[in-house]
C-alpha cells in the first residue's frame, strides 16, 4: 500500500520534472528539454510575438515544426524546419540532440530534420526564439551564435533579415516558395538577388527569370510602382570591400508586423498586419500584370499593358519573325531595321558623333541619334558607367561607343548603358509613376529626318492651338478679365518704369530677333544678346559670380553704371522654354524686400538670360560655410536672415497674388544685400497655384538633395510644406554653420537633420550652436530657432507648421511649441553610392549643392 503510494508519487514527480521545463521554458530550449507536439505549445518569444512549435498548414494532414506569429489569429508561418520531411501524426518532438544540434524527431525518436553545425564536444547549446522571428542556436559556454534561422530562410523575408549576395563565394540568400498553400516543401518559385551583382531582385520559376525588380535607385526599384519602400527602411547595403557583393534589408518601422512572402503561386506579396481588422493587408504585390513577366516581348520588344497586342517592337526595330509575331509568339523579339552608322565609318564616326552635340540636333542624317522613351522599366543587364559620375555626359559616352545600344541617366544611380540586346522593357501605364527615361540609339535615318523641322512644326502647331484657345477664352470672358488685366498691368508698369529709370537709359531698341515669347508682357524690358555680352565683357570668367543649377551667373555693368547679375541659362541644363518663361513672368510680378528683383531678360535664339539686381554680398552659403567669413555673421544677423527668409516665403506662399512654391530653397539661393539682408532668388521652378489649390503633383521633381521633403523627393508631391521642410534644413544650417551634407564621417548620421535630432534627444542641443555666435546670442532664441527648425523637417507635411505660423513661432517668446517627432526620413536613408561619390567630390567641387531634376511621373 505504502509502496504504491511512493510509486505514484515518483511517477508524478517524474512527470513534473518532465513537464516542468516546458511550463517554464518561454523562449529557450536547452539540452535535455523536449517540446512535444501533443503538449500543444512550443517556444514563445519574450514579447509573445512568435512561436516555434508544430503546425498543420491549410488542409494538409501532416505536421511541421516551424516559426509562426502568435499574435495573429490566422496561421501565418514564417519559417519551416522540416519542410521536406513532414511528420505523420502528432507524436513528433523538438529537442537539442546529444551532439548539440537542434533537431525535430518523429514518434520513434528518429531525426527528421536537424541543424548541421559542429559543436565542441564539451559544449552544450540552447535554442532561442526571438521577437524578431529569429531562431538561434547558441553555445551555452560562450554565447556564440552557432546557427541562425535568418541565414536559412524559407519563403518569408522578415525585418532584420538580409537578402544577400556574396560575389566571391557565390553564396546568396534564396527565398524558396512553398509548393502549395498546403505544402511547405520547396516549390518552383524562388526569389533572390541577381547573381551578376546588378542590385536587382529576381523571381525565378525553376531556373528561368520570371520577374525582376529593376535597378534600385536608393528609394525605389525602377521596375516597380512601389515608391515608398524607403518608408519601411528598405535599403541596399553594398559591401565596401567586395565589389558586387551586397545585401538588402529593412527594418520594423513601427509596431505593425510586416513581411515579404514569396508565395507559392510565384507572386511576391508584402503585407502589413492590421491589428484592428485582424487581417494582413497587402502593401506591395509583384508581378501584377502579364507585361511584367520577364522578357515577355523578347529582345528589343516593349510591353505595354494597354496595348493590343501588348507587345510591340521598339522604334526602329521590326519583328524577327513576322509570322510568329502575328500569332502572338513574341519570344523571338525584334531586330534593328537600319544598322547604326558608327558600324560603317570606323574612322570618322567618333569625330562626327562627338561634334554632333555642337550642332544641337539629335542626329544628322549620317550619324546616330537617340530615341527617348519615358516611364519605362529599363532593360536588364545594364552596365554602370562610372566615368560619367565624374562630370561626364551619359549621352555622349553612349554615342561615342559604337557597341552601346542605349542609355539612361537615373538619379540615385548615375549613368546606365547597355552593350547587349535590350531585353525586358516595360512601358508603365501613364501616371503610374513607375520607370524612368530611357534612350535607345538609332541610325539617324530612323529618327525621321531633320528633327529641327519637326520641332518647328510642333511649335507652330502648339502656338496656333494656344492662340486659338486664347482667342476663344478672351471672347468668352472678356468682360470678366478686362478689369483684372487692367489692374495688373497698371501695377507692373509702375514697377518697371521705376526700375528702368533707376538703371539709367537702357538701349531697348536693339534688334531682338525673337520677341515672341516675351510678347505677352510688353512691360518686361528685353535686352539684346550683344547688349548683355558687352555689359559682362563677353561673359568673362572674371565676371562669373557662380554656377547655379541651370546656368552660370555673371556680374554685369550697365551703361548707366548700375551693377546687375546676369543668369545665363545653359542650353544643356534641361531648363526648357517653359521653365524660363515661368521664371520670367513670375518674378516680374513679385515685389518684396526679401525677394531678388528681376530687371529684365534676354531671349535670342538659343540664348536665354535673366537680369537681376546685383547683390554685393553674394549668397548665404559663401558666408555660412566659409571658415573666415562666417565670423562676420553674428547672431543678430543670422536671426534677421532666418526671419527675412521666413517673411519672403510667407509672401510667396500666401500674400502674393499668385501662390508660389519655391521648390529649391537652399543656402546658395539666398542672396545677401549690402546690409546682409536676405533675398530669395531663383524662382525658375516655382509654379503658379490656383486660388484654392494647395498641393500639386508634378512630373518633374526639381530640387536639391538634402533640402527636399520626403513626399516631394519620393512622390513628387509638392506644397508650401515642402518649402517649409527646406526652410527647416536652412535654419539648422544657419544656426550650426554646418552644411547639410557635411556629416559623412559620423556614424549613423547622414545629414544635419539626423545630427540635430540626435543632439535633441540626448539633450545636448546646445552643442549644435556655432561657436562664433555662442557669445553674441540669446540662447533661448537660438533654441527656439532649432525647435522651429525641427518642426519644419517633420516627415509628414501635416506635422509641419505653415510659414505664417513659423514667423509667429519665431517671434513670440511665450508661445508653446509642439514637440517634434523623430524625422525618420533623415535618419534612415541608406548610405548609398551617391553619398560615397559626393564624399570624394565634395572637397574639390560642390556637386551636392547643385539642383537636380528627377522625372517622377507623367
Ligand atoms: C485541400 O487542398 C487541395 C489543394 O489545394 C484542394 O484541391 C482540396 O479541395 C482541399 N480540400 C479541402 C477539403 O479543402
Ligand atoms: C565559442 O565556442 C565555440 C564552440 O562551441 C567555438 O567555436 C568558438 O570559437 C567559441 N568562441 C569564443 C569567443 O570563445
Ligand atoms: C573544451 O575543450 C577544449 C578543447 O577541446 C578546451 O580548450 C576547452 O577549455 C574546454 N572547455 C571546457 C569548458 O572544458
Ligand atoms: C506603420 O507604418 C505603416 C506604413 O507607414 C502604416 O501603414 C501603419 O498604419 C503603421 N502602423 C502603426 C501601428 O502605426
Ligand atoms: C497577399 O497576402 C494577403 C494576406 O495573406 C492575401 O489576402 C492576398 O490575397 C495576397 N495577395 C495576392 C495577390 O496573392
Ligand atoms: C515561339 O517561337 C520560338 C522561336 O522563335 C519557337 O522556338 C517556339 O517554339 C515558338 N512557340 C510557340 C508556342 O509557337
Ligand atoms: C578611313 O579614313 C580614311 C582617310 O580619312 C579613308 O580613306 C577611309 O576610306 C576611311 N575608311 C572607312 C571605312 O571609312
Ligand atoms: C569597321 O568596324 C567594323 C566593326 O567594328 C569591322 O568589321 C570592320 O572591319 C572595320 N573596318 C575597317 C576598315 O576598319
Ligand atoms: C578626329 O579627331 C581627332 C582628335 O580627336 C583629330 O586628330 C582628327 O583629325 C579628327 N579626324 C577627322 C577626320 O576629323
Ligand atoms: C562647336 O564646337 C567647337 C569645338 O568643338 C567650338 O569651338 C565652337 O564654338 C562650337 N560652335 C558652336 C556654335 O557652339
Ligand atoms: C550642322 O551640321 C550640318 C551638316 O551636318 C551643317 O550643314 C550645319 O552648318 C551645321 N550647323 C552648325 C550650326 O554648326
Amino acid at each position: 500500500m505504502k509502496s504504491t503510494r511512493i510509486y505514484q508519487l515518483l511517477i508524478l514527480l517524474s512527470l513534473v520534472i518532465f513537464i516542468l521545463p516546458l511550463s517554464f521554458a518561454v523562449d529557450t530550449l536547452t539540452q535535455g528539454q523536449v517540446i512535444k507536439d501533443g503538449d500543444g505549445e512550443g517556444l514563445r518569444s519574450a514579447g509573445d510575438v512568435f512561436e516555434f512549435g508544430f503546425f498543420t498548414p491549410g488542409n494538409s494532414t501532416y505536421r511541421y515544426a516551424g516559426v509562426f506569429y502568435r499574435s495573429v489569429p490566422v496561421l501565418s508561418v514564417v519559417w519551416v524546419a522540416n519542410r521536406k520531411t513532414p511528420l505523420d501524426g502528432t507524436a513528433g518532438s523538438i529537442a537539442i540532440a546529444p551532439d548539440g544540434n537542434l533537431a525535430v524527431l518523429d514518434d520513434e525518436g528518429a531525426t527528421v530534420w536537424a541543424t548541421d553545425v559542429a559543436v565542441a564536444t564539451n559544449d552544450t547549446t540552447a535554442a532561442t526564439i526571438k521577437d524578431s522571428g529569429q531562431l538561434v542556436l547558441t553555445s551555452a559556454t560562450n554565447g556564440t551564435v552557432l546557427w541562425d534561422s535568418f541565414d536559412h530562410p524559407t519563403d518569408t523575408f522578415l525585418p532584420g533579415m538580409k537578402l544577400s549576395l556574396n560575389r566571391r563565394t557565390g553564396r546568396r540568400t534564396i527565398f524558396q516558395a512553398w509548393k502549395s498553400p498546403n505544402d511547405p516543401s520547396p516549390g518552383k518559385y524562388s526569389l533572390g538577388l541577381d547573381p551578376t551583382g546588378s542590385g536587382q531582385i529576381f523571381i525565378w520559376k525553376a531556373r528561368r527569370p520570371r520577374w525582376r525588380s529593376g535597378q534600385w535607385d536608393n528609394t525605389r526599384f525602377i521596375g516597380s510602382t512601389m515608391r515608398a519602400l524607403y518608408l519601411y527602411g528598405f535599403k541596399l547595403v553594398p559591401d565596401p570591400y567586395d565589389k558586387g557583393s551586397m545585401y538588402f534589408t529593412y527594418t520594423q518601422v513601427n509596431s505593425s508586423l510586416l513581411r515579404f512572402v514569396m508565395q507559392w503561386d510565384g507572386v511576391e506579396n508584402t503585407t502589413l498586419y492590421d491589428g484592428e481588422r485582424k487581417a494582413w493587408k497587402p502593401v506591395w504585390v509583384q508581378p501584377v500584370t502579364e507585361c511584367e513577366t520577364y522578357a515577355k516581348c523578347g529582345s528589343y520588344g516593349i510591353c505595354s499593358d494597354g496595348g493590343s497586342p501588348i507587345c510591340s517592337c521598339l522604334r526602329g526595330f521590326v519583328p524577327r519573325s513576322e509570322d510568329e509575331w502575328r500569332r502572338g509568339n513574341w519570344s523571338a523579339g525584334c531586330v534593328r531595321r537600319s544598322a547604326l552608322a558608327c558600324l560603317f565609318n570606323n574612322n570618322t564616326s567618333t569625330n562626327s558623333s562627338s561634334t554632333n552635340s555642337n550642332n544641337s540636333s539629335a542626329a544628322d542624317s549620317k550619324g546616330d541619334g537617340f530615341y527617348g522613351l519615358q516611364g519605362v522599366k529599363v532593360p536588364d543587364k545594364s552596365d554602370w558607367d562610372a566615368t560619367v559620375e565624374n562630370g561626364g555626359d551619359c549621352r555622349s559616352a553612349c554615342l561615342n561607343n559604337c557597341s552601346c545600344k542605349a542609355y539612361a541617366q537615373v538619379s540615385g544611380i548615375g549613368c546606365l548603358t547597355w552593350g547587349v540586346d535590350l531585353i525586358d522593357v516595360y512601358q508603365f501605364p501613364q501616371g503610374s509613376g513607375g520607370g524612368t527615361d530611357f534612350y535607345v540609339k538609332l541610325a539617324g535615318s530612323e529618327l525621321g529626318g531633320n528633327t529641327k523641322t519637326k520641332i518647328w512644326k510642333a511649335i507652330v502647331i502648339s502656338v496656333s492651338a494656344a492662340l486659338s484657345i486664347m482667342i476663344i477664352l478672351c471672347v468668352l470672358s472678356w468682360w470678366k478679365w478686362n478689369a483684372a488685366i487692367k489692374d495688373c498691368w497698371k501695377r507692373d508698369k509702375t514697377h518697371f518704369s521705376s526700375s528702368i529709370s533707376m538703371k539709367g537709359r537702357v538701349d531697348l531698341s536693339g534688334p531682338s530677333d525673337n520677341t515672341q515669347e516675351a510678347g505677352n508682357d510688353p512691360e518686361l524690358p528685353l535686352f539684346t544678346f550683344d547688349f548683355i555680352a558687352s555689359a559682362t565683357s563677353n561673359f568673362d570668367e572674371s565676371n562669373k559670380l557662380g554656377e547655379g543649377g541651370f546656368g552660370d551667373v555673371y556680374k554685369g555693368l550697365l551703361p548707366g553704371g548700375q551693377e546687375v547679375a546676369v543668369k545665363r541659362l545653359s542650353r544643356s541644363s534641361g531648363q526648357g522654354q517653359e521653365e524660363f518663361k515661368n521664371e520670367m513672368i513670375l518674378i516680374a510680378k513679385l515685389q518684396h524686400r526679401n525677394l531678388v528683383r528681376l530687371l529684365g531678360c534676354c531671349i535670342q535664339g538659343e540664348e536665354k538670360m535673366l537680369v537681376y539686381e546685383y547683390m554685393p554680398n553674394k549668397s548665404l552659403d559663401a558666408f555660412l560655410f566659409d571658415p573666415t567669413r562666417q565670423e562676420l555673421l553674428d547672431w543678430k544677423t543670422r536671426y534677421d536672415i532666418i526671419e527675412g527668409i521666413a517673411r519672403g516665403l510667407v509672401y510667396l506662399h500666401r500674400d502674393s497674388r499668385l501662390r508660389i512654391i519655391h521648390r529649391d530653397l537652399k543656402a546658395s539661393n539666398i542672396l545677401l544685400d549690402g546690409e546682409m539682408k536676405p533675398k530669395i532668388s531663383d524662382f525658375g521652378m516655382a509654379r503658379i497655384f490656383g486660388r484654392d489649390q494647395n498641393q500639386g503633383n508634378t512630373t518633374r521633381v526639381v530640387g536639391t538633395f538634402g533640402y527636399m521633403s520626403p513626399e516631394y523627393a519620393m512622390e513628387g508631391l509638392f506644397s508650401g510644406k515642402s518649402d517649409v521642410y527646406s526652410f527647416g534644413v536652412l535654419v539648422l544650417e544657419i544656426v550650426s554653420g554646418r552644411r547639410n551634407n557635411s556629416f559623412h564621417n559620423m556614424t549613423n548620421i547622414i545629414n544635419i537633420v539626423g545630427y540635430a535630432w540626435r543632439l535633441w534627444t540626448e539633450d545636448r542641443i546646445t552643442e549644435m550652436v556655432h561657436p562664433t555666435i555662442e557669445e553674441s546670442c540669446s540662447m533661448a532664441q537660438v533654441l527656439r530657432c532649432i525647435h522651429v527648425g525641427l518642426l519644419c523637417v517633420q516627415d509628414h507635411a501635416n506635422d509641419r507648421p505653415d510659414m505664417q505660423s513659423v514667423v509667429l513661432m519665431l517671434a513670440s517668446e511665450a508661445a508653446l511649441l509642439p514637440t517634434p517627432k523623430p524625422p525618420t526620413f533623415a535618419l534612415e536613408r541608406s548610405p548609398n553610392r551617391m553619398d560615397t561619390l559626393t564624399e570624394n567630390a565634395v572637397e574639390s567641387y560642390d556637386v551636392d549643392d547643385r539642383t537636380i531634376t528627377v522625372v517622377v511621373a507623367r
Side-chain angles (χ1 to χ4, degrees):
M1 193 69 186
K2 215 175 183 184
S3 68
T4 50
R5 225 178 239 173
I6 289 174
Y7 237 74
Q8 280 177 341
L9 210 74
L10 269 178
I11 287 172
L12 206 74
L13 207 69
S14 68
L15 268 178
V16 165
I17 287 170
F18 210 79
I19 290 169
L20 200 65
L22 277 184
S23 44
F24 274 99
V26 228
D27 64 346
T28 303
L29 179 73
T30 55
Q31 212 133 19
Q33 294 177 325
V34 176
I35 297 171
K36 290 204 159 188
D37 188 1
D39 293 341
E41 195 163 79
L43 295 181
R44 287 180 288 152
S45 67
D48 228 16
V49 184
F50 283 99
E51 175 172 343
F52 175 45
F54 287 95
F55 67 91
T56 300
N59 64 11
S60 164
T61 53
Y62 292 116
R63 296 292 283 170
Y64 294 87
V67 177
F68 42 91
Y69 292 94
R70 264 189 76 79
S71 41
V72 176
V74 346
L75 176 70
S76 308
V77 179
V78 300
W79 183 79
V80 189
N82 56 327
R83 66 189 302 192
K84 289 180 201 159
T85 47
L87 291 163
D88 210 347
T90 56
S93 57
I94 300 169
I96 306 284
D99 68 356
N101 274 300
L102 177 66
V104 177
L105 311 169
D106 67 11
D107 51 350
E108 288 162 359
T111 304
V112 297
W113 176 89
T115 58
D116 54 351
V117 290
V119 185
T121 46
N122 56 1
D123 198 1
T124 57
T125 58
T128 306
I129 177 75
K130 299 190 176 175
D131 279 339
S132 56
Q134 195 174 13
L135 180 66
V136 293
L137 186 69
T138 48
S139 153
T141 42
N142 64 12
T144 311
V145 173
L146 302 169
W147 180 91
D148 182 349
S149 68
F150 273 16
D151 295 335
H152 304 84
T154 54
D155 69 338
T156 305
F157 186 15
L158 289 174
M161 266 190 182
K162 288 175 180 174
L163 175 59
S164 62
L165 166 71
N166 185 330
R167 290 263 272 165
R168 218 163 349 119
T169 62
R171 240 191 91 84
R172 60 197 164 115
T173 316
I174 295 287
F175 292 92
Q176 187 94 38
W178 289 19
K179 201 169 232 164
S180 79
N182 310 317
D183 183 359
S185 61
K188 46 181 190 278
Y189 294 104
S190 56
L191 179 149
L193 277 176
D194 181 7
T196 66
S198 67
Q200 305 181 84
I201 291 180
F202 268 75
I203 294 176
W204 293 274
K205 180 177 184 178
R207 291 281 176 76
R208 300 169 63 111
R210 166 176 155 82
W211 175 82
R212 76 189 165 94
S213 63
Q215 292 79 356
W216 173 252
D217 76 357
N218 294 316
T219 57
R220 58 158 189 159
F221 290 105
I222 293 179
S224 141
T225 47
M226 173 74 178
R227 280 190 270 155
L229 278 174
Y230 79 95
L231 279 181
Y232 304 103
F234 209 75
K235 63 182 174 186
L236 177 65
V237 184
D239 181 341
Y241 304 109
D242 186 14
K243 198 165 167 282
S245 294
M246 64 188 87
Y247 65 85
F248 271 106
T249 191
Y250 71 108
T251 47
Q252 180 106 28
V253 174
N254 55 26
S255 59
S256 289
L257 302 171
L258 182 64
R259 58 174 190 164
F260 285 57
V261 181
M262 182 61 242
Q263 282 183 170
W264 69 277
D265 54 359
V267 169
E268 185 284 316
N269 191 349
T270 302
T271 48
L272 192 66
Y273 187 64
D274 185 340
E276 276 168 29
R277 288 176 40 229
K278 301 219 177 302
W280 291 100
K281 90 183 170 210
V283 174
W284 188 45
V285 177
Q286 292 286 353
V288 185
T289 67
E290 198 187 354
C291 258
E292 291 177 88
T293 311
Y294 188 84
K296 184 80 195 168
C297 300
S299 47
Y300 301 106
I302 181 164
C303 199
S304 169
D305 292 318
S308 84
I310 54 174
C311 284
S312 50
C313 289
L314 287 168
R315 179 164 166 182
F317 293 82
V318 290
R320 189 183 292 275
S321 159
E322 281 284 357
D323 276 355
E324 273 172 5
W325 192 267
R326 226 175 290 124
R327 270 187 269 126
N329 179 359
W330 298 298
S331 59
C334 308
V335 290
R336 198 180 282 281
R337 188 160 46 194
S338 320
L340 292 176
C342 64
L343 285 174
F344 298 110
N345 29 351
N346 301 18
N347 37 6
T348 55
S349 70
T350 44
N351 281 20
S352 73
S353 308
S354 58
T355 52
N356 236 344
S357 53
N358 191 351
N359 216 335
S360 85
S361 78
D364 50 272
S365 50
K366 286 177 230 138
D368 299 323
F370 289 98
Y371 170 59
L373 293 138
Q374 286 172 315
V376 298
K377 173 176 180 176
V378 295
D380 194 12
K381 302 189 199 306
S382 55
D383 296 313
W384 183 59
D385 192 332
T387 58
V388 171
E389 287 305 289
N390 303 324
D393 171 10
C394 196
R395 184 191 186 90
S396 36
C398 186
L399 198 56
N400 293 336
N401 177 354
C402 196
S403 60
C404 176
K405 298 188 164 64
Y407 79 91
Q409 181 120 35
V410 187
S411 147
I413 299 179
C415 176
L416 294 176
T417 59
W418 283 264
V420 294
D421 289 348
L422 308 178
I423 196 147
D424 193 27
V425 185
Y426 169 48
Q427 175 75 61
F428 278 95
Q430 291 230 340
S432 69
T436 185
D437 287 3
F438 176 60
Y439 297 90
V440 183
K441 195 197 274 180
L442 292 179
S445 56
E446 290 289 350
L447 288 164
N450 196 336
T451 40
K452 255 190 178 167
T453 56
K454 267 195 163 177
I455 291 170
W456 275 113
K457 262 185 206 162
I459 289 177
V460 167
I461 289 170
S462 48
V463 163
S464 47
L467 275 177
S468 38
I469 289 172
M470 270 178 65
I471 289 169
I472 293 168
L473 280 178
C474 284
V475 168
L476 283 180
S477 55
W478 169 80
W479 54 89
K480 269 189 188 169
W481 282 24
N482 207 9
I485 289 175
K486 238 185 217 163
D487 177 45
C488 132
W489 279 13
K490 211 186 286 168
R491 283 166 75 173
D492 281 346
K493 208 172 273 177
T494 52
H495 163 207
F496 283 110
S497 52
S498 71
S499 68
I500 288 171
S501 62
M502 176 180 68
K503 64 181 180 262
R505 278 184 313 280
V506 169
D507 178 13
L508 291 175
S509 57
S512 173
D513 65 2
N514 196 355
T515 53
Q516 205 173 327
E517 289 94 332
N520 297 339
D521 197 339
E523 303 295 332
L524 186 68
L526 277 175
F527 301 97
T528 63
F529 180 84
D530 292 340
F531 179 79
I532 291 184
S534 78
T536 57
S537 323
N538 254 326
F539 303 103
D540 195 85
E541 274 297 307
S542 63
N543 280 334
K544 197 157 166 180
L545 295 172
E547 294 174 11
F550 291 117
D552 300 342
V553 183
Y554 296 88
K555 183 177 174 179
L557 192 65
L558 299 185
Q562 194 194 351
E563 291 174 324
V564 293
V566 176
K567 184 175 186 188
R568 188 183 193 184
L569 302 173
S570 51
R571 263 166 283 174
S572 59
S573 70
Q575 173 149 8
Q577 209 97 342
E578 192 190 343
E579 273 147 331
F580 175 70
K581 267 195 280 180
N582 256 352
E583 184 161 20
M584 201 176 62
I585 295 166
L586 286 180
I587 299 183
K589 291 185 176 170
L590 295 172
Q591 283 187 74
H592 186 271
R593 64 177 180 281
N594 294 116
L595 302 182
V596 171
R597 185 180 289 181
L598 179 71
L599 303 178
C601 67
C602 163
I603 312 171
Q604 194 163 352
E606 301 248 295
E607 286 288 353
K608 287 177 249 162
M609 284 179 271
L610 297 171
V611 181
Y612 294 103
E613 59 179 331
Y614 174 70
M615 292 291 140
N617 279 326
K618 296 191 183 167
S619 57
L620 177 59
D621 61 334
F623 280 88
L624 205 49
F625 308 126
D626 184 290
T628 54
R629 297 173 80 190
Q630 64 186 189
E631 309 208 344
L632 300 171
L633 293 177
D634 61 8
W635 172 244
K636 182 165 184 328
T637 313
R638 290 186 197 222
Y639 183 77
D640 287 349
I641 290 174
I642 292 176
E643 212 175 24
I645 300 169
R647 288 186 190 284
L649 284 175
V650 170
Y651 174 78
L652 283 179
H653 288 177
R654 199 199 57 170
D655 294 342
S656 66
R657 273 170 298 144
L658 314 141
R659 283 173 157 197
I660 285 160
I661 312 296
H662 187 293
R663 297 215 263 163
D664 194 18
L665 193 67
K666 56 182 173 184
S668 56
N669 276 341
I670 305 297
L671 304 186
L672 299 172
D673 69 5
E675 294 165 351
M676 301 295 279
K677 296 276 181 280
K679 290 188 184 254
I680 303 171
S681 78
D682 228 348
F683 295 88
M685 292 144 287
R687 284 243 174 160
I688 305 174
F689 265 65
R691 208 167 291 260
D692 45 19
Q693 189 182 3
N694 52 25
Q695 193 173 58
N697 194 337
T698 179
T699 56
R700 307 180 70 200
V701 171
V702 189
T704 304
F705 270 135
Y707 288 95
M708 280 196 274
S709 64
E711 77 276 8
Y712 183 38
M714 301 302 146
E715 311 280 330
L717 287 174
F718 65 90
S719 66
K721 295 295 182 73
S722 25
D723 279 354
V724 171
Y725 188 95
S726 313
F727 174 78
V729 174
L730 202 46
V731 168
L732 296 176
E733 286 186 333
I734 292 172
V735 171
S736 66
R738 298 191 61 167
R739 260 184 214 280
N740 176 39
N741 55 18
S742 61
F743 295 87
H744 329 282
N745 40 19
M746 292 183 69
T747 45
N748 299 329
I749 288 190
I750 54 157
N751 61 25
I752 199 163
V753 177
Y755 175 66
W757 180 253
R758 180 197 271 190
L759 294 181
W760 175 268
T761 51
E762 293 174 1
D763 238 353
R764 302 191 291 145
I765 195 69
T766 49
E767 289 176 29
M768 180 149 181
V769 181
H770 193 263
T772 60
I773 58 169
E774 259 174 2
E775 284 158 25
S776 63
C777 75
S778 134
M779 198 44 99
Q781 204 176 31
V782 174
L783 293 183
R784 173 163 292 268
C785 285
I786 296 178
H787 195 152
V788 171
L790 281 172
L791 290 174
C792 291
V793 295
Q794 297 282 285
D795 285 345
H796 294 286
N798 287 343
D799 294 339
R800 296 174 213 143
D802 58 22
M803 281 319 297
Q804 211 183 335
S805 318
V806 166
V807 170
L808 291 175
M809 286 176 178
L810 288 172
S812 78
E813 274 161 35
L816 208 61
L817 302 184
T819 311
K821 300 176 189 166
T824 46
F825 175 65
L827 299 175
E828 283 170 10
R829 250 188 68 211
S830 60
N832 55 44
R833 205 187 262 151
M834 183 174 263
D835 286 349
T836 30
L837 274 167
T838 39
E839 226 170 280
N840 303 337
V842 127
E843 281 144 48
S844 55
Y845 194 71
D846 189 6
V847 176
D848 244 14
D849 208 27
R850 299 179 109 196
T851 302
I852 58 140
T853 303
V854 193
V855 175
V856 164
R858 288 171 305 120

